[in-house]
Each structure stands twice: as structure tokens, then as C-alpha cells.
Amino acid sequence: MTALELISLVTQVLFVGLFVVVLWHALRSKTGAGFDTALLFGSVAAVVVLSKLVELFGAGPQATVTTLLLVLLSLAPYAMLRLVDDFSGTPRWVQVGGAAAYLAIAAAAVTLTSQIQLVEVILIAWFLAVGGYAAFAFARASGRTRGITRRRMRAVAAGAVLFIGAVVFLLVGELLPTGGDVLRAVGQIGALAAVVAFFLGFAPPAWIRRAWREPDLRQFLERSIHLVGVSDERRVMTELQQSAAAAFGANGASIGISDGVRPILRYASAAGGWLEFPEDEFIAGWAFRDQRRVVAFDAAETDPAHAETYERTGARTVIAAPITAEERRIGALSVYADRAPIFIEDDLWLIELLADHTAVLLEARDLARQATELQAREDAARLKEEFLSAAAHDLRTPLTVVLGQAELLERRLTRDPHAQVDRAGVSRMTSEARRLRDLISELLDAQRLEQPGTVMDRVTLDLREIVEAARSRRLEPGTGLEVSVPSDPILTSADRARLEQVVDNLVENAVKYTPGQVLPKVEVAREGAEALLTVIDHGVGIPKDERDRIFERFYRASNAQGITDTGMGLGLYICRRIVEEHGGRIWVEATPGGGSTFRVALPIVDDAPEPDLVATEPSWSAATSVEAAADA
Ligand code: ADP
């Protein structure tokens, strides 16, 4: 056996094998494209088998066999034309014209048996014209697809070009009186290359399929993995849908999510918000209900109840798969396109895989959310504990004094109902009760400020006024304030009561943590786009490594204890929350020569004071906290 004969034999076996494979697929998928592919390779396989039989048994009159072979062979370009229509659509006249031309050529082959060479020339022209058009159309259609479908379409286009070339070379080789051998040899090699390309296109082996699918999957994962940490569920669904549609090269995709309680699926609406439908509505709903993938080549016809929706969204073909993790039915993923899928088995495989990936992703999100909630619960429990222990400890001292004094007074009155009023004792009780009230206010305030959005009542105000007001509140001797303000207003948009609370707190601390009667200094200045408020004292200072921590809840610096036992470590935390709610910053620096410098930076407002911004809810101020505590 020569090399060429071997090539020819291998080619023939492959063509017959390919026919068997595509016929099997066609019978399983029952799609038009499946049957047209079977027709294409059926015609070639029939030619191969018939010639082999003739070669082996020499059966039948030569002319009849030749006619039959030509009729069968000329069927191949027509089958290609039909495939082009299946894959990318062609005008109706092309299909009708193609069918008529095929019938005419078959008739010519049957009637012109004496002029076989003329029939062969017609056949060459038929192959070149229709086969060439088909190859071009496949190549163009591949450009409109993505991923594995594109690769398979390219292989089909290459197979078509090689096949046409091979047949033309073989036929021309037959026709030439001399030198035909070379053309036939080229034709043989071309035919082998064609069948290999067709195999890759129509029935790629599993390992090639895997390699071709991999980029789509990777892209889907790369595009969607970050969604695990995104809290906006609508955004997650929208992005997942986009990624799924991109992986398919489809018009769009939609994800319906079950809430696990009601029998509905929720879909992220393109217009914002969510749309809810009974869980067994739409093709996606069927996939969810039956927990299996569903294909509808003509969605409007398959699910007439929602024909209008499918038509409006250009969803002619819909493929859906359930999103399920273990036993948990999460939802359904559906992908829709304006034409039937070219290689449905790849699409079915891909949608199942994407649905599985989506399930994993949504599960991961759920776990992350649960972990966050658990963390939040633990934080809340810890906060409550801290709150209770701080409160118990700090409230006990003044309460003990009040109680002690009250009991003392009671005993005195029991012994001598006409005894003189112990003024010092009563005033001690009053001052300790006040302290108790302030501590409770602070605790309530800190708790209230845990929630964002507590600073509501913002107006444009001059920081200089706030500082002046703070000075006028501190007129007792020895508690005064040194103030330094610029001549121009320093405007910021703030909640007046809250900002005053910050200034008072910083000033009180400055006094509290400064032994002797050295007055703190308050400065207001403008620095770039920020209004800067500075409170400077020459007190005990704060150890360097604790300067950030003093703004945490209940944190008191290691050098604070010996100086004063009044304080729970909440004042600066409250200040920080208020400043942050205003979009500002607060920090502390060491003052040269000892002491601390607290700085607050707030965004500056350049315009003249605007009319007050409308508060959406009544603002809650320090004053109300004190009243609330007093009422309690
Ligand atoms: P406290 O009620 O303990 O004063 P704060 O939250 O106001 O709570 O302050 C937290 C801690 O920061 C204080 O306990 C103290 O250690 C430190 N601190 C605050 N202001 C000053 C200051 N001006 N000088 C020195 N230390 C200060």
C-alpha cells in the first residue's frame, strides 16, 4: 500500500466515523443543525462506502454507479448551505435556489450519463460556488460567536475550505488527460486535512473541548470572584448575569433567586430594584422547579404565557439550569440568544458549569455574610459586656457616696428629728448625683453614636463663634480659656450642639489632665481646604504608643489613673465619632515642652452662610441625652 493509498483509506474511515458520530448527536439533540450535519457527512460517507463496495466487488454497471456517486457528492454543498442557514441564517431565496440547483445537478447527472465530463465540470462549479460561499459564511459566523463555539466554527470553516479544495482537485485530476496524479495526490491530502478539521469542529475530542472551554470559565471566575465580598446583592446578580452572558456570547442572562420561604424567584431588574415571579414561571422557573436543565429553541412557542417578554428581550433560544448547592435550591440561571445555539451540547455543559460556579459563589457570599453577622453579634455582646463593666465600676463610686450621705442624714434625723441640715453633706450628694447623671449621659451618648448618621442638624457656622461660646461658658476662675482666632470667619457645615460638645470635651480634658492652674489654649485656623481647631495643654501628656488608642471606647491612657478617677474613657470616643460624622479627622500630638495638642480638622465651606440645611429627622443632642438620663 502506498502512502497515498494509506492517506485515502484513513480519510475514508474518518469520514464514515464522523458520520456515525454526528448522526448519533443528531438523533440525541434532534436539532436542524444536527440533521443537516448528518446529511453533509452522510452524503460523503455514502460516496466513500459506495466506491469501496464497487472497488471490492466491482458490482453494478459503471455508468449507474458513477451517476449515483455524483448525485451523492453534489448533495454535500447543498447540505453545507443548509448548515449555513442553521448557524447564521440566510435569505430564503438562497435556500430555495440552492435546493433547485441541487435538483438540477442531480437531474443532469442522471440524464447526461454519456457526457460524464460535462457533469463533472458542472459539479466543480457547484462546489466552488456553493461550497465557497458556505466556507465564507462559516468563517463570518464564527466571528459573531465566542469561546469554544468560535473555535469550533473556525474549524468547520477550515474544514469546508479544505473539503471544497480537495473535491475540486480530485475532480480536476480525473478530468485532466495527463498530470492528474499530482492534483489527485494534493486532493487526497486536502481531504484528510478536511476531515480532521471537521472532526475538530463537529465532534472535538474531550481533551480539546476542555482546553477550548477553559478560557471562558476562567474569564467567568475572574469576573465574578470578587463578588463574594460585595454586599449589594443586586449588583452581584447583575454582574453575574453579565459574566454569564459574556461567557456564552449570548444576548443576555438572568438569575432568579429563591428566598427560601415564599414560592417565588427574584430577578434583579435592569431598571433597578427586583422583580418577583412565581417560582415555576418562565423557562428558568421550570429549570428551578424540576431541578434540571431546560432548552427552548423557540422560547415564545415553548412558553406562550410569556411570549411577549421573550420577544421583547430578543430571547429566541433560552437555556436554563438550576443553581443548587448540595440540597439547597438557590435559584436558576438562564441564558438567552436571538438564534439557536450552534453546538448545543457545549452550551448545555457550560450552563450547568456556570450554574454550579454561581452556586459556589453565592454560598461563599452567604458564609461570608453569616461570618460578618456572627462577628457583629460577638462585637455587640463584647460591647455590652464592656459597657456593663465600665458602667458598673464607674457608676458605683458616686452612687456609694450619694447613698452613704443619704444614710448618714437618715440616721441623724432618726436620732434627732430637729437636727440642723448638713449642708456640706447635701451639696456633696448633689454634686455626686450630677456626676452620676453625666456618666449615664456619656454612656448613652456613646451608644447612640455607634450608629452612623447621628449628626443631622447641620448648618453653616463660624468655628470662631463656637470657640468664643466655649470660652464664655468657662468663666469660673481658674477654668478659663486662652483663645486665638483669625480675623476672617472659618466656616464649616456642622451640627452646632455636637461641635460644642467636642470643644467642651477637649477643653475639659485639657484642664482635667493638667495639674495646677495652667490654662489650656484653643486656636482656630484655616489650613488649605480644612478648618483646624487646636486645643493645647501643658499637662501630663499621653504616652506615644497610646495616642491612637485613647480615641477607642473605654480606653484610658496608662498615666491617667493616678491623676483622676473621674472618667470612663468615652469622651474622646464620642468626639471622634462626631468629627467623623462631619467628614473630619481628630488626632493628638505631643506639645513641645510637655502636654498634649489635640487637633480637629473639618471640611471648610467657602460660601457665605447658606440657609440651614433641612434636617430630615429631629437631631439628637447632648442636651437631650442629659434630659433623657435625668428622666430615667
Ligand atoms: P476620660 O473620661 O478618661 O477622660 P476620654 O475619652 O476623654 O476619657 O480620654 C481618654 C483618655 O485619654 C483619658 O483617660 C486620658 O488617659 C487621655 N487623655 C485625654 N485627654 C488628655 C489630655 N488633655 N492630656 C492627657 N491625657 C489625656
Side-chain angles (χ1 to χ4, degrees):
M1 189 185 266
T2 65
L4 266 189
E5 282 168 350
L6 182 65
I7 287 177
S8 166
L9 184 68
V10 170
T11 309
Q12 289 167 357
V13 170
L14 286 178
F15 264 119
V16 175
L18 185 54
F19 167 61
V20 174
V21 174
V22 297
L23 182 64
W24 166 247
H25 280 315
L27 292 174
R28 274 194 16 192
S29 73
K30 297 194 184 63
T31 60
F35 286 115
D36 289 334
T37 315
L39 182 68
L40 169 63
F41 295 111
S43 66
V44 184
V47 170
V48 167
V49 171
L50 190 62
S51 357
K52 210 69 211 159
L53 289 177
V54 172
E55 198 182 303
L56 290 177
F57 307 111
Q62 191 57 44
T64 315
V65 171
T66 310
T67 303
L68 196 55
L69 283 176
L70 290 178
V71 169
L72 284 172
L73 197 59
S74 54
L75 190 56
Y78 175 61
M80 279 189 187
L81 205 57
R82 293 181 59 96
L83 262 181
V84 168
D85 188 44
D86 297 327
F87 287 175
S88 61
T90 51
R92 181 138 180 80
W93 66 265
V94 172
Q95 291 305 315
V96 175
Y102 169 65
L103 289 178
I105 291 170
V110 173
T111 48
L112 302 174
T113 42
S114 54
Q115 284 170 289
I116 199 72
Q117 290 192 336
L118 176 62
V119 177
E120 283 182 357
V121 171
I122 293 174
L123 203 62
I124 291 172
W126 170 239
F127 259 85
L128 282 174
V130 175
Y133 167 74
F136 167 73
F138 286 143
R140 209 180 49 179
S142 81
R144 288 199 294 264
T145 58
R146 280 192 37 81
I148 183 169
T149 301
R150 170 178 289 188
R151 294 190 163 88
R152 290 182 64 175
M153 284 296 282
R154 284 198 180 143
V156 169
V161 170
L162 289 164
F163 180 64
I164 306 300
V167 173
V168 169
F169 271 67
L170 288 172
L171 287 175
V172 175
E174 288 293 331
L175 287 174
L176 286 188
T178 53
D181 291 352
V182 178
L183 288 187
R184 277 202 301 274
V186 174
Q188 286 293 353
I189 296 169
L192 178 62
V195 73
V196 170
F198 277 142
F199 243 110
L200 290 180
F202 288 109
W207 61 272
I208 289 194
R209 250 175 231 247
R210 264 199 301 278
W212 280 352
R213 282 163 178 164
E214 200 262 343
D216 289 340
L217 277 182
R218 189 148 34 90
Q219 198 194 27
F220 177 78
L221 284 178
E222 273 167 10
R223 281 184 63 159
S224 49
I225 195 73
H226 74 280
L227 296 175
V228 171
V230 173
S231 59
D232 179 354
E233 199 191 359
R234 230 187 68 77
R235 194 184 128 204
V236 171
M237 294 310 155
T238 318
E239 287 195 24
L240 275 175
Q241 285 169 184
Q242 284 165 357
S243 305
F248 270 89
N251 295 33
S254 74
I255 294 177
I257 293 292
S258 159
D259 70 2
V261 184
R262 293 171 302 155
I264 52 122
L265 288 183
R266 286 188 304 136
Y267 297 84
S269 147
W274 296 87
L275 298 173
E276 292 186 353
F277 294 100
E279 64 179 14
D280 56 356
E281 265 189 37
F282 288 104
I283 291 163
W286 303 351
F288 179 76
R289 179 192 60 200
D290 303 340
Q291 288 294 293
R292 62 175 180 82
R293 62 193 190 190
V294 180
V295 184
F297 291 110
D298 190 336
E301 197 186 285
T302 316
D303 180 15
H306 300 104
E308 194 269 323
T309 309
Y310 295 121
E311 272 152 21
R312 188 165 33 81
T313 48
R316 194 172 146 216
T317 295
V318 177
I319 308 178
I323 302 174
T324 308
E326 308 249 314
E327 295 296 287
R328 211 162 81 76
R329 292 153 42 123
I330 299 175
L333 165 69
S334 57
V335 177
Y336 50 91
D338 54 3
R339 57 178 33 263
I342 296 174
F343 302 112
I344 182 71
E345 72 282 7
D346 278 327
D347 289 345
L348 288 176
W349 174 89
L350 188 60
I351 196 158
E352 283 197 329
L353 211 70
L354 293 195
D356 288 349
H357 278 315
T358 306
V360 171
L361 216 102
L362 295 181
E363 281 286 279
R365 266 175 57 77
D366 222 38
L367 287 176
R369 190 181 45 77
Q370 282 173 20
T372 316
E373 278 175 13
L374 192 71
Q375 182 71 42
R377 274 204 297 276
E378 279 173 4
D379 282 353
R382 210 191 52 236
L383 181 64
K384 222 182 272 171
E385 259 168 44
E386 283 175 358
F387 183 89
L388 281 178
S389 65
H393 177 265
D394 288 292
L395 302 184
R396 226 180 121 102
T397 321
L399 199 60
T400 314
V401 175
V402 173
L403 196 65
Q405 286 293 332
E407 283 170 354
L408 196 68
L409 286 180
E410 195 180 31
R411 274 204 300 277
R412 274 204 196 149
L413 279 175
T414 316
R415 268 201 315 266
D416 174 8
H418 305 291
Q420 255 203 338
V421 177
D422 175 5
R423 286 189 189 283
V426 171
S427 109
R428 192 139 184 243
M429 271 169 68
T430 317
S431 86
E432 288 302 316
R434 268 201 201 108
R435 203 176 128 204
L436 200 57
R437 182 193 62 184
D438 291 348
L439 287 174
I440 291 170
S441 305
E442 209 172 33
L443 277 168
L444 288 172
D445 206 12
Q447 200 196 21
R448 198 72 72 107
L449 279 161
E450 283 292 309
Q451 310 299 328
T454 336
V455 173
M456 294 285 188
D457 213 0
R458 286 171 73 161
V459 292
T460 301
L461 44 81
D462 188 350
L463 211 52
R464 297 177 311 171
E465 281 171 24
I466 301 286
V467 171
E468 288 299 345
R471 172 164 46 192
S472 61
R473 278 195 296 277
R474 306 190 64 83
L475 289 176
E476 293 165 39
T479 67
L481 211 51
E482 213 185 300
V483 167
S484 154
V485 294
S487 51
D488 291 333
I490 304 282
L491 301 180
T492 184
S493 160
D495 180 326
R496 183 181 296 274
R498 285 301 194 182
L499 206 54
E500 285 181 355
Q501 193 183 353
V502 171
V503 176
D504 284 348
N505 216 316
L506 293 179
V507 170
E508 265 160 35
N509 275 355
V511 174
K512 191 161 80 178
Y513 295 102
T514 304
Q517 303 232 320
V518 191
L519 299 188
K521 185 174 177 193
V522 180
E523 290 175 358
V524 171
R526 179 187 177 133
E527 249 189 47
E530 286 182 320
L532 206 62
L533 173 97
T534 309
V535 179
I536 306 162
D537 68 52
H538 290 87
V540 296
I542 298 150
K544 198 161 185 235
D545 55 345
E546 294 180 83
R547 284 187 199 147
D548 286 337
R549 297 208 59 194
I550 54 169
F551 295 97
E552 291 173 13
R553 265 184 323 233
F554 302 119
Y555 193 86
R556 305 198 73 207
S558 49
N559 61 346
Q561 262 76 11
I563 302 159
T564 167
D565 58 357
T566 58
M568 283 187 289
L570 280 177
L572 287 181
Y573 168 74
I574 292 173
C575 290
R576 173 168 70 86
R577 288 290 307 126
I578 294 173
V579 171
E580 283 175 354
E581 283 286 304
H582 282 87
R585 301 170 288 133
I586 181 170
W587 71 100
V588 64
E589 299 163 1
T591 307
S596 314
T597 300
F598 282 83
R599 292 193 194 278
V600 173
L602 293 167
I604 220 156
V605 175
D606 269 321
D607 309 333
E610 299 162 14
D612 291 3
L613 294 176
V614 182
T616 45
E617 273 178 47
S619 111
W620 187 89
S621 71
T624 47
S625 100
V626 172
E627 280 153 22
D631 291 347

